[in-house]
Amino acid sequence: MGICTYYGDEHGFFEPSIKHPRVIVTGGAGFIGSTLVKRLRQTHGPGQVKVFDNLWRGKLENLAYSPGNYSIDLQTDFCNIDLRNETAALQAVRGAKTVFHLADVVAGVPFLMQYQEAVFGDNTLMLTQILRACRKNNIRQFIYAGSTCSSMLQLQTRDWITGLSENVTSRAESETAYGWSKLIGEYHAQLAQLDGVFDVGLLRFHNVFGPHSDWSTNFGQAVPILIRKAIQFPKETYNLVGAGSQYRDLLFVEDVVDALVLVQEKGLNKGVIQIGTEEATTVRQLALTIREMVQRKMNKTIVSHHLTLPAIHEHNYEGDRAWKLLQWTANHTLTRGISITVDWMLHAMNKTVSAPSLHSDRVLAILIGNPRGGPLAWKSLNTHVLTPLKADLMLYFGKSDARSENNVSFPYWADLHDMAKYIFFEREHNDWGVVLDQASLGHDARPTDWLDLCKFAPQWLGAVGRGCNHKAGAAIQLAFRYLVQQKLVSTGLINQYDHFIYTRSDFLYACDYPPMSAFDSSSLWIPWGEDYDGLNDRHMITTRKGILLALNLTRSIMSEPARWAAIFDQSGIARHAWNPERINMLYCNFTRGIRVRRFLHPAFIVKTAADVARWTQGDGRLLPPPLSTTLSVKYHTELRVSQQCPLWMANLETLIRTSPKKWFVYAR
């Protein structure tokens, strides 16, 4: 989420001086949503359009007209919100006149087939929460994006042209759980309209394509996948699955946005209106069109083998209602739409491949808290992590008189400062609960309800005041999880990197870090050791999608304290036995989408005499001299695990030999 300041029940996330019309677009960083946002900004002023998106598939770069030139202010008008959460939805959907609901869980055919229960459950739950929020908050207009995947299975699976009208969903028999969720969504929205509380617009889209569509194998759809294969040929074969005889009605995204704007003006409370071109195109014809287009634009020959894609049958539509009610018709021919999309993909893919600052695995290492560990630890970070992974470094530190780049102590960590590409500060708080208050957005009555969780003692909320009385400072780590999550999104850094290493500054790395290819991209990787009957919370590796979910621990617990209190009580852990590791374990176990895997960490936490420690002071006797007079090892288990990596002693000797003598003056 950006700053997303909450202005109370009347205005929600809209600054009170912003006049109507105010609009919310859910899924607004997605393929269709971002195109709609850009169109709305042609007629709406700054601050009048809010985008809600959890960035599961959406990207902030989709909202840019050009690099760095965004259609909205990402700091104030973009909010990373999980709309499946009732409290979050109730608070988010306030202060607007119109809600365009485009957010849903959808991807390529393999994904939809593999995760049918999750797709159906998340889509129906999200719609339920948003509709209830609209009703309770007096939203005047609700516009819902449906799909022809909700049409009858027997009509979808024919290999001849089938003209679909709006009423061919009965008997209900959709081909996928996604189609069922969209059909149920249409029905639910129509029910919500009956008592006249608000007006409802219902559009049912055929196969949409265009710039910003996903071209990946698992999440993309036919048009962008075929374009990608053609551009990549001969590195990729240009094939289809099956005969390619299925018909599809292919719709350019700008025409979809035309319909969304028109339904708000002319199509409310008119029932379902289908949006398509009335042109039936076989998948084989589509593949040949794309091949010819790419051959001409790239001046190369593409050899087409038996053309195949994952088989899902399609159809075209009958467009009487779209014309009669909206005076809408498609303005882009298939050839014109394909040409525009190919040009965009050529630019996007060429940028990805050729830009010198981007690597096949773009890695961002994030250090949080305070600069600890000293220059020896930071040099090992550069030698064994940043350099071999070609990773960038982000620092997010607490800023006080003792640790400010404007004060005399700054030279102490100048080496670390110079290694970083991004540096952010949060002022040191006497009560770090003020950050947790921000993370608890979603509570109408008492935004500090999370303080009730202090009864689960004794230390995971350390550094919180107001009578919490937990030991040490674990709440600082909770606060930084929230702060980093917000900063990654608001700055757009979340979309610039493929993998993220989230850790602290006082690890000493004894060996080279494994390549990112060694880590399964669907998992959250956490080192072995220091679990304390829970799960190590000091270091993790994950992908772009995984990092936001992992960092969401703070927002989830603080914004739903009653739910998590029940989970804590049911866990069997006594109320006097809670620590950060147990919190981390429970969150990972009860959060959909997190699968934890473990690895041997080639590093261990060290302490210099200059470092302030709230808990463990460390033992210097476990290191070879002169390290033993300079650094203390804080956790014996971490040290033993790191010693399993090759050349452990040789690498430490190299570190000592190549470091200036002044680095060894911080005696224990």
Side-chain angles (χ1 to χ4, degrees), residues 40-82:
L40 291 172
R41 284 291 285 114
Q42 296 175 12
T43 55
H44 292 68
Q48 288 186 317
V49 179
K50 295 287 182 183
V51 172
F52 298 161
D53 199 302
N54 68 356
L55 299 180
W56 180 70
R57 291 188 72 208
K59 300 177 181 179
L60 291 178
E61 63 198 37
N62 291 347
L63 291 162
Y65 299 117
S66 59
N69 180 22
Y70 287 89
S71 54
I72 61 170
D73 186 334
L74 297 183
Q75 290 284 344
T76 58
D77 297 331
F78 173 82
C79 302
N80 187 329
I81 292 177
D82 184 355

Side-chain angles (χ1 to χ4, degrees), residues 427-486:
R427 71 180 182 87
E428 296 279 1
H429 300 283
N430 293 325
D431 175 6
W432 280 86
V434 299
V435 179
L436 304 188
D437 289 342
Q438 299 172 31
S440 70
L441 273 177
H443 284 271
D444 299 328
R446 294 186 302 155
T448 56
D449 282 352
W450 62 270
L451 283 168
D452 185 56
L453 296 174
C454 290
K455 63 190 177 186
F456 298 96
Q459 57 154 312
W460 70 283
L461 287 175
V464 169
R466 289 173 274 183
C468 204
N469 297 324
H470 281 215
K471 301 176 183 178
I476 299 174
Q477 308 307 314
L478 289 175
F480 273 103
R481 283 208 184 200
Y482 170 74
L483 293 168
V484 171
Q485 181 193 44
Q486 309 311 300

Side-chain angles (χ1 to χ4, degrees), residues 478-525:
L478 289 175
F480 273 103
R481 283 208 184 200
Y482 170 74
L483 293 168
V484 171
Q485 181 193 44
Q486 309 311 300
K487 190 65 69 175
L488 288 176
V489 173
S490 66
T491 59
L493 290 176
I494 190 65
N495 287 319
Q496 295 183 31
Y497 296 91
D498 303 298
H499 287 87
F500 295 82
I501 300 172
Y502 182 86
T503 186
R504 44 196 281 176
S505 63
D506 50 357
F507 274 106
L508 191 148
Y509 295 83
C511 301
D512 280 357
Y513 215 82
M516 290 298 101
S517 59
F519 298 97
D520 172 13
S521 61
S522 65
S523 300
L524 174 64
W525 289 85

Side-chain angles (χ1 to χ4, degrees), residues 575-629:
R575 288 193 173 186
H576 63 271
W578 284 91
N579 58 26
E581 292 79 12
R582 282 177 161 168
I583 296 294
N584 198 34
M585 177 186 67
L586 264 287
Y587 175 73
C588 291
N589 288 346
F590 281 87
T591 301
R592 177 185 290 179
I594 292 183
R595 183 181 70 156
V596 174
R597 297 186 67 180
R598 311 302 295 271
F599 72 104
L600 297 175
H601 197 205
F604 52 95
I605 293 176
V606 295
K607 178 183 179 296
T608 72
D611 295 337
V612 177
R614 293 173 180 259
W615 199 253
T616 305
Q617 297 303 313
D619 186 345
R621 296 170 297 177
L622 302 174
L623 293 173
L627 291 180
S628 58
T629 61

Side-chain angles (χ1 to χ4, degrees), residues 381-455:
L381 169 74
N382 191 41
T383 301
H384 296 300
V385 181
L386 302 182
T387 298
L389 296 180
K390 299 180 180 178
D392 289 333
L393 179 64
M394 168 179 161
L395 308 179
Y396 206 145
F397 287 162
K399 186 172 183 177
S400 67
D401 291 340
R403 287 184 178 85
S404 167
E405 54 182 304
N406 298 317
N407 285 282
V408 294
S409 64
F410 173 65
Y412 170 70
W413 62 282
D415 299 282
L416 183 62
H417 178 278
D418 292 343
M419 289 160 49
K421 186 171 183 178
Y422 315 101
I423 301 177
F424 305 103
F425 291 101
E426 174 71 12
R427 71 180 182 87
E428 296 279 1
H429 300 283
N430 293 325
D431 175 6
W432 280 86
V434 299
V435 179
L436 304 188
D437 289 342
Q438 299 172 31
S440 70
L441 273 177
H443 284 271
D444 299 328
R446 294 186 302 155
T448 56
D449 282 352
W450 62 270
L451 283 168
D452 185 56
L453 296 174
C454 290
K455 63 190 177 186

Side-chain angles (χ1 to χ4, degrees), residues 376 626-627 629-630 655-656 659-667:
L376 289 164
L627 291 180
T629 61
T630 304
L655 176 67
I656 295 169
S659 299
K661 292 182 179 180
K662 65 179 181 179
W663 287 3
F664 296 92
V665 301
Y666 299 104

